[in-house]
Amino acid sequence: MAAYLQWRRFVFFDRETVKEPPGPDGAGGKSFALPPGIAVCDSGRGSLVFGDILHGGGRRRCRALWPIWFLPRSLQLSSFQAYKLRVTHLYQLKQHSILVSVGEDEEGINPLVKVWNLEKRDGGNPLCTRIFPAIPGNKPTVVSCLTVHENLNFMAIGFADGSVVLTKGDITRDRHSKTQILHEGSYPVTGLAFRQSGKTTHLFVVTTENIQSYMLSVKDYPHLELDTHGCGLRCSSLSDPSQDLQFIVAGNECVYLYQPDERGPCFAFEGQKLIVHWYRGYLVIVSKDRKTSPKSEFAGNEAQNSDKQVLNVYDLCNKFIAYSSIFDDIVDVLAEWGSLYVLTRDGKIHVLQEKDTQTKLEACKSMLFRKNLFEMAINLAKSHHLDSDGLSEIFRQYGDHLYNKGNHDGAIQQYIRTIGKLEPSYVIRKFLDAQRIHNLTAYLQTLHLQSLANADHTTLLLNCYTKLKDSSKLEEFVKTSESEVRFDVETAIKVLRQAGYYSHAVYLAEKHAHHEWYLKIQLEDIKNYQEALRYIGKLPFDQAESNMKRYGKILMHHVPNETTELLKILCTDYQPAGDNEGPGMLEGKKANSEEFIPVFANNSRELKAFLEHMTEVQADSPQGVYDTLLELRLQNWAHEHDEQIKEKLHSEALTLLKSGRFKTVFDKALVLCQMHNFKDGVLYLYEQGKLFQQIMHYHMQNEQYKKVIEVCELYGDQEACLWEQALGYFARKEEDCKEYIAAVLKHIENKNLMPPLLVVQTLAHNSTATLSVIKDYLVNKLQKQSRQIAQDEQRIEKYREETTRIRQEIEELKASPKIFQKTKCSICTSALELPSVHFLCGHSFHQHCFESYSESDSECPTCMPENRKVMDMIRAQEQKRDLHDQFQHQLKCSNDGFSVVADYFGRGVFNKLTLITDLPPGKAATTIEAGLQRELLVHTKRST
């Protein structure tokens, strides 16, 4: 609590009475007077605003139509009718041309709130944008106070019955706002004030008996009672940011300051307070000069109190009185146009104009220095923004004064404040004594903090730390120095590490980006694995990747979960922790996840989680990731004993195999499945690798006869030897497998897969297979061969007749004339007319039809498609004939005849020609006869 009588008094304001402006004749100098009866006023937007609440009397009735007045700086009064009866409250917003008034249009307690837009006009008067009654819950009561938030979204009205009505929303419109009773009590509300801090809005409510704070930015408006005593009307105000927007409540004994959640400092300003305002960092209080009148319910604010009143202007930061003066019956104190205006009951206006900074400092500096009141001089200079040179000189004089008195701690603090202006050697010479080394250390450390130290200063500071042997001082220097380092950082780190100052060493390593040293100390000395992992997560990608490869196993052993999470980020979309560059940041880099698999040694659970994450978010992960994941899943499946879990693991492993990621490492996947006896995986891989014989052999080994047949049915068309192998398998079985043998024989017969003799020889090894098993097969086979022989003989006869007919036609064409008797065109089927074109094949055409449709002048358009087929087959035969000659030559000259045969077999040389046509021109007819006779001889032998 600050005692009022101990505060210094100054005269920082000049007092004058406002004079009337000069008239047209140049006359002036008369004191300006307001109309009588004004008791409500406010200021803002370049005007003083007055309201008239007194009524009755002839003079009042003459001007009853003009209850609100505006006084601009030109002192030209203007007014407009706001209410028919009286105006009780005014509130002029400082940032908007909005005036809110409370008044009455009829007798009784019927207060109305009106919102005026002063920039818009309605018939020459300000536009009234909103009117609503100011009654809480339909209870007639008197309005005691009013306040409006500068954002126009909140308005609070206090009443004499203890109620507070809050309007939320756009206060200038009825549709966009909501009114509710915020507070109810038993004591009159004497003051309201909004406090805005960031996005948080508070409302202070003060009554005659208590003070409360409401948080309006939270639903349900939670409130807190700050104190159990209140104040009178107009005895509360809100400070500016220089006093942290504290709510000021002036009681008769003290002035209290409040934060939204607690009470702040208080000041012992005695006297009955009448008016309280805050002006430019000053607290303005109007109080009674003598304590003669009893305290009423509203703290003695009745108009009939006509005692002398004292106006004091307090500087709470510097704790002095900037101005004090006595007035007669003050109505209110207003702030506008950079000055304070004091309205008195006689209608006069007194202006208090603050003196300029230089004048105030010159007036008080000599007195303060003479009385060694340096602190007050410094505070006064700061509050009035004295330049740095002037402040530095005050600090130096203050420091010298304290040094001469032997207060070296206080002196060094003042010398520190001269850094940047006073030569450091001036101070250093004073504190070179060993007993004052701690003061010198503080000075040098601050010199480094402000980046004003040179190499000598740094050397001296290190020597001070060495002599003091104070680790806290060393820590202070290491952790607060922001200047350019004058010593080798790596050497300092090594020394600190060897001396056991690990925290100092890691701080320097981190600050100067010596990542390897930082991690070595954290992992090997401090063993703070969590911090080391966090640090790696803040490094650039390349350094984070290399350090995770180097220290990953240690971190995985001690903090497996956190290490796994960092590796997931590092291998997907790595961004250093805290590196937020917004939408334009660079795309994250990705490490090779396969390279970190060795980090998970002896941590299979974390490895499985890591690999599964990589396969989910990065489908193109390296093959090693999928191989290792498959091996892990197979191991877990093989060692699991719970059937439900084993089934789930089985499904996961098979799903991974079917993902298509093992085509290039087929053999490796197959070996893994075989090692863990994963049957379904083995069969799936056999199928994918088209190893159908291995599938069948697998079922044979397990003696699954039906599965053997199913494999043959599924893959027999792709690999016919499966049926032969199946027949041999069943033939070797001593069990009764007649049913399966019959099924195999039926398919062999349908597909003609084996000669009958080979079938008989195969089944001869089975002692249980009798002739009845293959009876049907042999009978059907012989019948088919008989039918084939008959068909061959018919074809031979047909070919002979066709050959004879063709020969006759050739002879006729050679020896006899060809008569063309066609009457219709073979293309358009119209009657044939000259000119026409005829071919020996018997087709005739109009010349224009022939020219339109023919591709060659020498070929019949109708026969040409068939002729081309024949010519293509002839050319193919010619090529094969040439290949035959070449084949014979290579076969004779080659040392490895089998490889030559295999090569030509692969090229399709020995494929059977399915069509027979004429030989190319020049071949003798005897060659055709010989071929036909040879074919006939072959068929005859087959028949016998």
Coordinates of all heavy atoms in Angstrom, one line a residue, residues 586-648:
L586 N 8.6 -27.0 -48.4 CA 9.1 -28.0 -49.3 C 8.6 -29.3 -49.0 O 8.2 -29.7 -47.9 CB 10.7 -28.0 -49.3 CG 11.4 -26.7 -49.7 CD1 12.9 -26.9 -49.4 CD2 11.1 -26.3 -51.1
E587 N 8.5 -30.2 -50.1 CA 8.0 -31.5 -49.9 C 9.0 -32.3 -49.0 O 10.2 -32.2 -49.2 CB 7.9 -32.2 -51.2 CG 7.3 -33.6 -51.2 CD 7.1 -34.2 -52.5 OE1 7.4 -33.5 -53.5 OE2 6.8 -35.4 -52.6
G588 N 8.5 -33.1 -48.1 CA 9.3 -33.8 -47.2 C 10.2 -34.9 -47.9 O 9.7 -35.5 -48.9
K589 N 11.4 -35.2 -47.4 CA 12.2 -36.2 -47.9 C 11.9 -37.6 -47.3 O 11.3 -37.6 -46.2 CB 13.7 -35.8 -47.7 CG 14.1 -34.6 -48.5 CD 15.6 -34.3 -48.3 CE 16.0 -33.1 -49.1 NZ 17.5 -32.8 -48.9
K590 N 12.4 -38.6 -48.0 CA 12.1 -40.0 -47.5 C 13.4 -40.8 -47.4 O 14.2 -40.7 -48.3 CB 11.1 -40.7 -48.4 CG 9.8 -40.0 -48.6 CD 8.9 -40.7 -49.6 CE 7.6 -40.0 -49.8 NZ 6.7 -40.7 -50.8
A591 N 13.6 -41.4 -46.3 CA 14.8 -42.3 -46.2 C 14.4 -43.7 -46.7 O 13.2 -44.1 -46.8 CB 15.2 -42.4 -44.7
N592 N 15.4 -44.5 -47.0 CA 15.2 -45.9 -47.4 C 14.9 -46.7 -46.2 O 15.8 -47.0 -45.3 CB 16.5 -46.4 -48.1 CG 16.2 -47.8 -48.7 OD1 15.2 -48.4 -48.5 ND2 17.1 -48.2 -49.6
S593 N 13.6 -47.2 -46.1 CA 13.2 -47.9 -44.9 C 14.0 -49.2 -44.7 O 14.2 -49.7 -43.6 CB 11.7 -48.2 -45.0 OG 11.4 -48.8 -46.2
E594 N 14.4 -49.8 -45.8 CA 15.1 -51.1 -45.7 C 16.4 -51.0 -45.0 O 16.9 -51.9 -44.3 CB 15.4 -51.7 -47.1 CG 16.0 -53.1 -47.2 CD 16.1 -53.6 -48.6 OE1 15.8 -52.9 -49.5 OE2 16.6 -54.8 -48.7
E595 N 17.1 -49.8 -45.0 CA 18.3 -49.6 -44.4 C 18.2 -49.6 -42.9 O 19.2 -49.7 -42.2 CB 19.0 -48.3 -44.9 CG 19.3 -48.3 -46.4 CD 19.9 -47.0 -46.9 OE1 19.9 -46.1 -46.1 OE2 20.2 -46.9 -48.1
F596 N 17.0 -49.4 -42.3 CA 16.8 -49.3 -40.9 C 16.3 -50.6 -40.3 O 16.1 -50.6 -39.1 CB 15.8 -48.1 -40.6 CG 16.3 -46.8 -40.9 CD1 16.0 -46.1 -42.1 CD2 17.2 -46.1 -40.0 CE1 16.5 -44.9 -42.4 CE2 17.7 -44.8 -40.3 CZ 17.3 -44.2 -41.5
I597 N 16.2 -51.6 -41.1 CA 15.7 -52.9 -40.5 C 16.7 -53.4 -39.4 O 16.3 -53.9 -38.4 CB 15.5 -53.9 -41.6 CG1 14.3 -53.4 -42.5 CG2 15.3 -55.3 -41.1 CD1 14.0 -54.3 -43.7
P598 N 18.0 -53.3 -39.7 CA 19.0 -53.8 -38.6 C 18.8 -53.1 -37.3 O 19.2 -53.6 -36.2 CB 20.3 -53.6 -39.2 CG 20.1 -53.5 -40.7 CD 18.8 -52.9 -40.9
V599 N 18.2 -51.9 -37.3 CA 18.1 -51.1 -36.0 C 17.2 -51.9 -35.1 O 17.3 -51.8 -33.9 CB 17.5 -49.7 -36.3 CG1 17.1 -49.0 -35.1 CG2 18.6 -48.9 -37.1
F600 N 16.2 -52.7 -35.6 CA 15.2 -53.4 -34.8 C 15.7 -54.7 -34.3 O 14.8 -55.6 -34.0 CB 13.9 -53.5 -35.7 CG 13.2 -52.2 -36.0 CD1 13.6 -51.5 -37.1 CD2 12.3 -51.7 -35.2 CE1 12.9 -50.4 -37.5 CE2 11.6 -50.5 -35.5 CZ 12.0 -49.8 -36.6
A601 N 17.0 -55.0 -34.3 CA 17.4 -56.2 -33.7 C 16.9 -56.5 -32.3 O 16.9 -55.6 -31.5 CB 19.0 -56.3 -33.7
N602 N 16.3 -57.7 -32.1 CA 15.7 -58.1 -30.8 C 14.5 -57.2 -30.5 O 14.1 -57.2 -29.3 CB 16.7 -57.9 -29.7 CG 18.0 -58.8 -29.9 OD1 17.9 -59.9 -30.4 ND2 19.1 -58.2 -29.6
N603 N 13.9 -56.6 -31.4 CA 12.6 -55.8 -31.2 C 11.7 -56.1 -32.3 O 11.3 -55.3 -33.2 CB 12.9 -54.3 -31.2 CG 13.7 -53.8 -30.0 OD1 15.0 -54.0 -30.0 ND2 13.1 -53.4 -29.0
S604 N 11.2 -57.4 -32.4 CA 10.4 -57.9 -33.5 C 9.0 -57.2 -33.5 O 8.4 -56.9 -34.5 CB 10.2 -59.4 -33.4 OG 9.7 -59.7 -32.1
R605 N 8.5 -56.9 -32.3 CA 7.2 -56.3 -32.2 C 7.2 -54.9 -32.9 O 6.4 -54.5 -33.7 CB 6.7 -56.1 -30.8 CG 5.3 -55.5 -30.6 CD 4.9 -55.6 -29.2 NE 5.8 -54.8 -28.3 CZ 5.7 -53.5 -28.1 NH1 4.7 -52.8 -28.7 NH2 6.6 -52.9 -27.3
E606 N 8.2 -54.1 -32.5 CA 8.3 -52.7 -33.1 C 8.7 -52.8 -34.6 O 8.2 -52.0 -35.4 CB 9.4 -51.9 -32.4 CG 9.0 -51.4 -31.0 CD 9.0 -52.5 -30.0 OE1 9.6 -53.6 -30.3 OE2 8.5 -52.3 -28.9
L607 N 9.5 -53.9 -35.0 CA 9.8 -54.0 -36.4 C 8.6 -54.3 -37.2 O 8.4 -53.8 -38.3 CB 10.9 -55.1 -36.5 CG 11.2 -55.5 -38.0 CD1 11.8 -54.3 -38.7 CD2 12.2 -56.7 -38.0
K608 N 7.7 -55.2 -36.7 CA 6.5 -55.5 -37.4 C 5.6 -54.3 -37.6 O 5.1 -54.1 -38.6 CB 5.8 -56.6 -36.6 CG 4.5 -57.1 -37.3 CD 3.9 -58.3 -36.6 CE 2.7 -58.9 -37.2 NZ 1.5 -58.0 -37.0
A609 N 5.5 -53.5 -36.5 CA 4.7 -52.3 -36.6 C 5.3 -51.3 -37.6 O 4.5 -50.7 -38.4 CB 4.6 -51.6 -35.2
F610 N 6.6 -51.2 -37.6 CA 7.3 -50.3 -38.6 C 7.0 -50.8 -40.0 O 6.7 -50.0 -40.9 CB 8.7 -50.3 -38.3 CG 9.6 -49.5 -39.3 CD1 9.5 -48.1 -39.4 CD2 10.4 -50.2 -40.1 CE1 10.3 -47.5 -40.3 CE2 11.2 -49.6 -41.1 CZ 11.1 -48.2 -41.2
L611 N 7.3 -52.1 -40.3 CA 7.1 -52.6 -41.6 C 5.7 -52.5 -42.1 O 5.4 -52.2 -43.3 CB 7.6 -54.0 -41.7 CG 9.1 -54.2 -41.4 CD1 9.4 -55.7 -41.3 CD2 10.0 -53.5 -42.4
E612 N 4.7 -52.8 -41.2 CA 3.3 -52.7 -41.7 C 2.9 -51.3 -42.0 O 2.2 -51.0 -42.9 CB 2.4 -53.3 -40.5 CG 2.5 -54.8 -40.4 CD 1.6 -55.3 -39.3 OE1 1.2 -54.5 -38.4 OE2 1.4 -56.5 -39.2
H613 N 3.5 -50.3 -41.2 CA 3.2 -48.9 -41.5 C 3.8 -48.5 -42.8 O 3.1 -47.8 -43.6 CB 3.8 -48.0 -40.4 CG 3.7 -46.6 -40.7 ND1 2.6 -45.8 -40.5 CD2 4.7 -45.7 -41.1 CE1 2.8 -44.6 -40.8 NE2 4.1 -44.5 -41.2
M614 N 5.0 -49.0 -43.1 CA 5.6 -48.6 -44.4 C 4.8 -49.2 -45.6 O 4.7 -48.5 -46.6 CB 7.0 -49.1 -44.4 CG 8.0 -48.4 -43.4 SD 7.9 -46.6 -43.5 CE 8.3 -46.3 -45.2
T615 N 4.4 -50.4 -45.5 CA 3.6 -51.0 -46.6 C 2.3 -50.4 -46.8 O 1.8 -50.3 -47.9 CB 3.5 -52.5 -46.4 OG1 2.8 -52.7 -45.1 CG2 4.8 -53.2 -46.3
E616 N 1.7 -49.8 -45.7 CA 0.4 -49.1 -45.8 C 0.5 -47.8 -46.5 O -0.3 -47.4 -47.3 CB -0.2 -49.0 -44.5 CG -0.7 -50.4 -43.9 CD -1.2 -50.2 -42.5 OE1 -1.3 -49.0 -42.0 OE2 -1.6 -51.2 -41.8
V617 N 1.5 -47.0 -46.0 CA 1.6 -45.6 -46.5 C 2.5 -45.4 -47.7 O 2.4 -44.4 -48.4 CB 2.1 -44.7 -45.4 CG1 1.2 -44.8 -44.1 CG2 3.5 -45.0 -45.0
Q618 N 3.3 -46.4 -48.0 CA 4.2 -46.3 -49.1 C 4.3 -47.6 -49.8 O 5.1 -48.5 -49.5 CB 5.6 -45.9 -48.6 CG 6.6 -45.5 -49.6 CD 7.9 -45.0 -49.0 OE1 7.9 -44.4 -48.0 NE2 9.0 -45.3 -49.7
A619 N 3.4 -47.8 -50.8 CA 3.3 -49.1 -51.5 C 4.5 -49.4 -52.3 O 4.8 -50.6 -52.5 CB 2.1 -49.0 -52.5
D620 N 5.3 -48.5 -52.6 CA 6.6 -48.8 -53.4 C 7.8 -48.9 -52.5 O 8.9 -48.6 -52.8 CB 6.8 -47.7 -54.4 CG 7.0 -46.3 -53.8 OD1 6.6 -46.1 -52.6 OD2 7.5 -45.4 -54.5
S621 N 7.6 -49.4 -51.3 CA 8.7 -49.6 -50.3 C 9.6 -50.6 -50.9 O 9.3 -51.5 -51.7 CB 8.1 -50.1 -49.0 OG 7.4 -49.1 -48.4
P622 N 10.9 -50.6 -50.5 CA 11.9 -51.5 -51.0 C 11.4 -53.0 -50.8 O 10.7 -53.3 -49.8 CB 13.2 -51.2 -50.2 CG 13.0 -49.8 -49.8 CD 11.5 -49.6 -49.6
Q623 N 12.0 -53.9 -51.6 CA 11.6 -55.3 -51.5 C 12.0 -55.9 -50.2 O 11.3 -56.8 -49.7 CB 12.2 -56.1 -52.7 CG 11.8 -57.5 -52.8 CD 10.3 -57.6 -53.0 OE1 9.7 -56.9 -53.8 NE2 9.6 -58.5 -52.3
G624 N 13.1 -55.4 -49.6 CA 13.5 -56.0 -48.4 C 12.5 -55.8 -47.3 O 12.4 -56.6 -46.3
V625 N 11.7 -54.7 -47.3 CA 10.7 -54.4 -46.3 C 9.6 -55.5 -46.4 O 9.2 -56.1 -45.4 CB 10.0 -53.0 -46.6 CG1 8.8 -52.8 -45.7 CG2 11.1 -51.9 -46.3
Y626 N 9.2 -55.9 -47.6 CA 8.2 -56.9 -47.8 C 8.7 -58.3 -47.4 O 8.0 -59.1 -46.8 CB 7.6 -56.9 -49.2 CG 6.7 -55.7 -49.5 CD1 7.3 -54.6 -50.0 CD2 5.4 -55.8 -49.3 CE1 6.5 -53.5 -50.3 CE2 4.6 -54.7 -49.6 CZ 5.1 -53.5 -50.1 OH 4.3 -52.4 -50.4
D627 N 10.0 -58.5 -47.7 CA 10.5 -59.8 -47.4 C 10.6 -60.0 -45.9 O 10.2 -61.1 -45.4 CB 12.0 -59.9 -48.0 CG 11.9 -59.9 -49.5 OD1 10.8 -60.1 -50.1 OD2 13.0 -59.7 -50.1
T628 N 11.1 -59.0 -45.2 CA 11.2 -59.1 -43.7 C 9.9 -59.2 -43.1 O 9.7 -59.9 -42.1 CB 12.0 -57.8 -43.2 OG1 13.2 -57.7 -43.9 CG2 12.3 -58.0 -41.7
L629 N 8.9 -58.4 -43.6 CA 7.5 -58.5 -43.0 C 6.9 -59.9 -43.2 O 6.3 -60.4 -42.3 CB 6.6 -57.4 -43.7 CG 5.2 -57.4 -43.2 CD1 5.2 -57.1 -41.7 CD2 4.4 -56.3 -43.9
L630 N 7.2 -60.5 -44.4 CA 6.7 -61.8 -44.6 C 7.3 -62.8 -43.6 O 6.6 -63.7 -43.0 CB 6.9 -62.2 -46.0 CG 6.6 -63.7 -46.4 CD1 5.1 -63.9 -46.2 CD2 7.0 -64.0 -47.8
E631 N 8.6 -62.7 -43.4 CA 9.3 -63.6 -42.5 C 8.8 -63.4 -41.1 O 8.6 -64.4 -40.4 CB 10.8 -63.3 -42.6 CG 11.6 -64.3 -41.7 CD 13.1 -64.0 -41.9 OE1 13.5 -63.1 -42.7 OE2 13.9 -64.8 -41.3
L632 N 8.5 -62.2 -40.7 CA 8.0 -61.9 -39.3 C 6.6 -62.5 -39.2 O 6.3 -63.2 -38.1 CB 8.0 -60.4 -39.1 CG 9.2 -59.7 -38.6 CD1 9.0 -58.2 -38.5 CD2 9.7 -60.3 -37.3
R633 N 5.8 -62.4 -40.1 CA 4.4 -62.9 -40.0 C 4.4 -64.4 -40.0 O 3.7 -65.1 -39.3 CB 3.6 -62.4 -41.2 CG 3.2 -60.9 -41.0 CD 2.3 -60.4 -42.1 NE 1.9 -59.0 -41.9 CZ 1.1 -58.3 -42.7 NH1 0.6 -58.9 -43.8 NH2 0.7 -57.1 -42.4
L634 N 5.3 -65.0 -40.8 CA 5.4 -66.5 -40.8 C 6.0 -67.0 -39.5 O 5.5 -68.0 -39.0 CB 6.3 -66.9 -42.0 CG 5.7 -66.7 -43.4 CD1 6.7 -67.1 -44.4 CD2 4.4 -67.5 -43.5
Q635 N 6.9 -66.3 -38.9 CA 7.4 -66.7 -37.6 C 6.4 -66.6 -36.5 O 6.2 -67.5 -35.7 CB 8.6 -65.8 -37.2 CG 9.9 -66.1 -38.0 CD 11.0 -65.2 -37.6 OE1 10.8 -64.3 -36.8 NE2 12.2 -65.4 -38.1
N636 N 5.6 -65.5 -36.5 CA 4.6 -65.4 -35.5 C 3.5 -66.4 -35.7 O 3.0 -67.0 -34.7 CB 3.9 -64.0 -35.6 CG 4.9 -62.9 -35.3 OD1 5.9 -63.1 -34.6 ND2 4.7 -61.7 -35.7
W637 N 3.2 -66.7 -37.0 CA 2.2 -67.8 -37.2 C 2.7 -69.1 -36.8 O 1.9 -69.9 -36.2 CB 1.9 -67.8 -38.7 CG 1.0 -68.9 -39.1 CD1 -0.4 -69.0 -39.0 CD2 1.4 -70.2 -39.7 NE1 -0.8 -70.2 -39.5 CE2 0.2 -71.0 -39.9 CE3 2.6 -70.7 -40.1 CZ2 0.3 -72.2 -40.5 CZ3 2.7 -72.0 -40.6 CH2 1.5 -72.7 -40.8
A638 N 3.9 -69.4 -37.0 CA 4.5 -70.7 -36.7 C 4.6 -71.0 -35.2 O 4.4 -72.1 -34.7 CB 5.8 -70.9 -37.3
H639 N 4.8 -69.9 -34.4 CA 5.0 -70.0 -33.0 C 3.7 -69.7 -32.2 O 3.8 -69.8 -30.9 CB 6.1 -69.1 -32.5 CG 7.4 -69.4 -33.0 ND1 7.9 -68.9 -34.2 CD2 8.4 -70.3 -32.6 CE1 9.1 -69.4 -34.5 NE2 9.5 -70.3 -33.5
E640 N 2.6 -69.4 -32.8 CA 1.4 -69.1 -32.1 C 0.6 -70.3 -31.8 O 0.5 -71.2 -32.6 CB 0.5 -68.1 -33.0 CG -0.7 -67.6 -32.3 CD -0.5 -66.9 -31.0 OE1 0.4 -66.0 -31.0 OE2 -1.1 -67.3 -30.0
H641 N 0.1 -70.4 -30.6 CA -0.7 -71.6 -30.2 C -2.2 -71.3 -30.1 O -3.0 -72.3 -30.2 CB -0.2 -72.1 -28.8 CG 1.3 -72.5 -28.8 ND1 1.7 -73.6 -29.5 CD2 2.4 -71.9 -28.3 CE1 3.0 -73.7 -29.3 NE2 3.5 -72.7 -28.6
D642 N -2.6 -70.1 -29.9 CA -4.0 -69.8 -29.9 C -4.6 -69.9 -31.3 O -4.1 -69.2 -32.2 CB -4.2 -68.3 -29.4 CG -5.6 -68.0 -29.1 OD1 -6.4 -67.9 -30.1 OD2 -6.0 -67.8 -28.0
E643 N -5.6 -70.7 -31.4 CA -6.2 -71.0 -32.8 C -6.7 -69.7 -33.5 O -6.6 -69.5 -34.7 CB -7.3 -72.1 -32.7 CG -6.7 -73.4 -32.3 CD -5.7 -73.9 -33.3 OE1 -5.9 -73.6 -34.5 OE2 -4.8 -74.6 -33.0
Q644 N -7.4 -68.9 -32.7 CA -8.0 -67.7 -33.3 C -6.9 -66.7 -33.8 O -7.0 -66.2 -34.9 CB -8.9 -67.0 -32.3 CG -10.2 -67.8 -32.0 CD -11.1 -67.0 -31.1 OE1 -10.7 -66.0 -30.5 NE2 -12.3 -67.5 -30.9
I645 N -6.0 -66.5 -32.9 CA -4.9 -65.6 -33.3 C -4.1 -66.2 -34.5 O -3.7 -65.5 -35.4 CB -3.9 -65.3 -32.1 CG1 -4.7 -64.7 -31.0 CG2 -2.8 -64.5 -32.5 CD1 -3.9 -64.4 -29.8
K646 N -3.9 -67.5 -34.4 CA -3.1 -68.2 -35.5 C -3.8 -68.1 -36.8 O -3.2 -67.9 -37.9 CB -3.0 -69.7 -35.1 CG -1.9 -70.4 -36.0 CD -1.8 -71.9 -35.5 CE -0.7 -72.6 -36.3 NZ 0.7 -72.1 -35.9
E647 N -5.2 -68.2 -36.8 CA -5.9 -68.0 -38.0 C -5.8 -66.6 -38.6 O -5.7 -66.4 -39.8 CB -7.4 -68.3 -37.8 CG -8.3 -68.2 -39.0 CD -8.0 -69.2 -40.1 OE1 -7.4 -70.3 -39.8 OE2 -8.2 -68.9 -41.3
K648 N -5.8 -65.6 -37.7 CA -5.6 -64.2 -38.1 C -4.2 -64.0 -38.7 O -4.1 -63.4 -39.8 CB -5.8 -63.3 -37.0 CG -5.7 -61.8 -37.3 CD -5.9 -60.9 -36.1 CE -5.6 -59.5 -36.4 NZ -5.8 -58.6 -35.2

